[in-house]
Amino acid sequence: MNTFPLISVIIPCYNQGNYLAETLDSVSSQTYPYWECIIVNDGSDDNTEQVAQEYIKKDSRFIYLSQENKGLSAARNYGILNSNGQYILPLDSDDLIAPTYLERAINAFANDSTVKIVYCRAKLFGKQTGEWLLPKYSLEKMLGVNCIFCSALYHRDSFNMVGGYNTNMKYGFEDWDFWLGILERYPTCSVCQIDEILFYYRIRKRSMARQLDDTKYKFLRKQLWLNHSLLYKKYFYSPLDSFEYLQLLNSREYKLGKLLLAPIRFVLSKMK
């Protein structure tokens, strides 16, 4: 009887068939063999299905699903609901993981039962190269900036507790919203960053994250407040349409890369 936990790698794909094979190759190369890979065709009109079928023929651990276009959050949810793993790894269809990522992540979970999210250091490739220097994680900092990229591993139970990725994050930040959902429900949990570059994030000329204008950005920030108001109220004033929220958006600290790297209560002290 196999006692090793199964990891479900969830890959939504919308018109990115030209990158998909490289992404699937990075999954095939994992040193940890107990995985399944759910490819969700989110209404593509390119060669996504053809590429996916080629991998299914070679390895039964690849599974292909399709749906009409509903967006990234819905595609991830659909893939996870049709998966069997005890752990979940979301992976975008143009990104890559190093061969030891799954193995290292499973060991991190095994070594500390309080860990709910495992990620690693990351590197950019494509139109921009170099290490992706993420802010050091803390819960307080996480309220102001997403410290964890989308391709972190987590327990399936966490997905069930949160209720999946929120489709109201229609312009992006759905992964940030999801991490806040886990942290909200497991307030004493640990987050582990593996001190090694095991994830590769492709920078393309056009992507959802790079097309956010100020209106969409403010919409998403406000939506984060709405989705996690009880968590935010432990650290912030309730913003929404209030004067304090507008002050926060316009504060010098907030505009410095929109990161709020200084302690958040410092920003609030400037608003009193």
Side-chain angles (χ1 to χ4, degrees):
M1 182 177 177
N2 178 25
T3 58
F4 294 95
L6 180 68
I7 300 174
S8 295
V9 182
I10 309 298
I11 304 182
C13 190
Y14 177 65
N15 287 341
Q16 292 187 345
N18 54 325
Y19 301 116
L20 182 58
E22 191 176 2
T23 300
L24 299 183
D25 283 340
S26 77
V27 177
S28 293
S29 299
Q30 292 302 299
T31 57
Y32 185 83
Y34 304 106
W35 55 263
E36 63 176 5
C37 182
I38 313 294
I39 307 160
V40 181
N41 185 348
D42 188 35
S44 301
D45 55 14
D46 63 355
N47 65 334
T48 291
E49 181 172 1
Q50 178 184 348
V51 174
Q53 293 296 345
E54 291 174 0
Y55 281 80
I56 290 170
K57 292 175 185 176
K58 294 186 290 186
D59 192 330
S60 62
R61 292 176 294 180
F62 288 104
I63 300 166
Y64 175 74
L65 303 173
S66 64
Q67 63 175 19
E68 64 182 43
N69 181 248
K70 295 183 179 179
L72 181 57
S73 291
R76 278 194 190 140
N77 290 340
Y78 182 50
I80 294 168
L81 291 171
N82 286 278
S83 69
N84 300 292
Q86 295 168 251
Y87 294 90
I88 306 296
L89 172 66
L91 180 60
D92 287 350
S93 56
D94 58 347
D95 294 334
L96 308 173
I97 51 176
T100 58
Y101 190 23
L102 298 188
E103 181 180 358
R104 294 290 307 277
I106 283 296
N107 288 337
F109 283 116
N111 291 334
D112 187 346
S113 62
T114 69
V115 170
K116 292 296 182 183
I117 303 170
V118 175
Y119 66 119
C120 59
R121 288 164 52 202
K123 192 171 184 178
L124 306 173
F125 73 107
K127 295 291 183 180
Q128 185 178 341
T129 59
E131 184 168 355
W132 186 2
L133 298 175
L134 298 162
K136 186 174 176 60
Y137 168 80
S138 71
L139 174 56
E140 185 170 293
K141 192 179 295 180
M142 191 73 178
L143 298 174
V145 58
N146 189 6
C147 307
I148 307 171
F149 49 71
C150 67
S151 292
L153 285 90
Y154 56 88
H155 293 266
R156 185 185 194 87
D157 288 347
S158 295
F159 176 85
N160 294 336
M161 284 287 290
V162 173
Y165 291 87
N166 202 323
T167 56
N168 67 20
M169 305 300 291
K170 57 185 179 179
Y171 303 124
F173 290 178
E174 71 292 325
D175 51 325
W176 186 3
D177 177 79
F178 184 76
W179 304 138
L180 289 176
I182 292 178
L183 298 171
E184 196 169 23
R185 288 160 178 81
Y186 300 98
T188 62
C189 76
S190 300
V191 173
C192 174
Q193 183 184 31
I194 301 167
D195 189 20
E196 185 178 349
I197 294 174
L198 301 172
F199 174 67
Y200 301 87
Y201 182 75
R202 189 188 301 269
I203 300 294
R204 294 182 287 116
K205 191 171 183 180
R206 292 177 62 84
S207 68
M208 182 185 295
R210 292 166 69 86
Q211 294 181 63
L212 281 182
D213 58 28
D214 196 53
T215 299
K216 290 178 180 178
Y217 184 86
K218 289 180 178 179
F219 169 86
L220 291 173
R221 288 302 302 244
K222 183 174 179 179
Q223 196 63 57
L224 286 172
W225 285 90
L226 289 168
N227 292 349
H228 308 284
S229 59
L230 294 179
L231 180 61
Y232 272 101
K233 284 177 183 178
K234 295 178 181 179
Y235 298 89
F236 288 92
Y237 293 108
S238 178
L240 303 184
D241 296 320
S242 69
F243 177 67
E244 288 86 358
Y245 175 58
L246 294 177
Q247 282 189 302
L248 178 62
L249 287 178
N250 292 321
S251 69
R252 177 176 177 272
E253 291 78 13
Y254 185 86
K255 288 181 177 179
L256 287 175
K258 299 177 181 176
L259 292 182
L260 291 179
L261 292 179
I264 290 172
R265 291 188 184 87
F266 171 79
V267 177
L268 293 182
S269 70
K270 296 295 185 180
M271 294 161 48
K272 293 181 180 179

